[in-house]
Amino acid sequence: DYGMVAQALAAGLHDLLLKSYALLLAQLEHKHREGGREGRGGLTLQQLWFHLQPALRSLEGLDVLCARVGNKKGGQLLNGLRAAVAGSGDEKSAQSHAFLLEKAAGPYMEMLEGWIYRGVLEDPYCEFMIREEHGLEKENVQEDFNAAYWDARSTVRPEHVFGDLEEFRPKILTTGKYLNVIRECGLDPGVADLGEGRDGALRAMGTGGGGKRMPKLKFSAGKAAVGEAIDVAYRRACCLLLDVVLRQH
């Protein structure tokens, strides 16, 4: 019920805790044994408490983070994590929160990729920024490409718009809509050859041609790189739809 973004966050927490605290335990064990060999009796309770302080502060920070995002999912959860990164009080906490944000953003970026590259929305938990209504009455989209059907079928969920993508919201929505129109015309905008004129048009728009693979979207690539990929996908969708309208219909 919490969605794929929350599941990815949980996996990130598991990795973070397992690696960090397994290392801490190994270090404490080594210090304890080393002290025993040197006749100092190993770690005292006071020394153990001292060495555990950084770990305790990290756990306290993660507890606050989980409380902040505990009842959220999808884009809301990512925005909560982003706020946590911005509000981190020390470098270690900032690094931990940034790591968790990158992990949690993985499924969201995959949904974005499917939408802007293939016009497909795979969102079983309703956590992506785009909502599709499948119960609407479909008009003849091959005759009316501006039909009201398309305005109502795909809309934005404001509460799940990831803040890093806010400025790209119109292009993201429109790109997927265009690809959906192509699909309704019986063509596959993801892999199918839509005609000889397609490659030349794509090259003219600077989006490549000849089946060129689109770049995989990764949160770690940074906002600028993701924005550029969205822009390329938008121009590609415009070219493909224009080709369908002018050449095939």
Side-chain angles (χ1 to χ4, degrees), residues 5-142:
V5 173
Q7 292 172 20
L9 173 60
L13 281 167
H14 180 268
D15 291 343
L16 186 65
L17 294 172
L18 187 64
K19 293 178 181 178
S20 299
Y21 297 106
L23 177 62
L24 173 62
L25 289 175
Q27 292 172 338
L28 291 175
E29 183 179 11
H30 174 73
K31 289 180 180 294
H32 181 70
R33 290 183 176 180
E34 186 179 44
R37 287 195 298 268
E38 296 176 357
R40 291 185 280 109
L43 286 173
T44 65
L45 188 60
Q46 184 178 11
Q47 290 171 332
L48 180 62
W49 178 250
F50 172 78
H51 288 299
L52 286 175
Q53 290 306 301
L56 289 174
R57 286 193 293 271
S58 296
L59 285 173
E60 288 173 355
L62 291 176
D63 180 58
V64 172
L65 174 68
C66 291
R68 175 181 290 183
V69 303
N71 295 321
K72 298 177 181 179
K73 68 177 184 177
Q76 285 183 321
L77 192 153
L78 293 178
N79 287 329
L81 288 173
R82 170 59 80 192
V85 172
S88 299
D90 58 85
E91 183 178 354
K92 187 172 182 180
S93 294
Q95 291 176 348
S96 297
H97 294 166
F99 169 79
L100 294 174
L101 175 59
E102 181 179 344
K103 289 292 185 181
Y108 195 94
M109 299 305 289
E110 289 179 3
M111 287 185 274
L112 174 62
E113 186 175 296
W115 177 250
I116 66 173
Y117 287 173
R118 296 180 286 120
V120 174
L121 184 58
E122 298 175 348
D123 183 19
Y125 296 98
C126 301
E127 54 187 335
F128 188 54
M129 62 184 290
I130 303 298
R131 176 196 296 111
E132 276 194 311
E133 299 289 347
H134 296 284
L136 300 175
E137 182 179 351
K138 183 169 64 176
E139 303 168 24
N140 188 352
V141 296
Q142 294 191 11

Side-chain angles (χ1 to χ4, degrees), residues 75 162 170 184 191 214 216 238 241:
F162 183 24
E184 292 291 347
V191 295
M214 302 292 285
K216 185 168 182 61
C238 291
L241 182 59

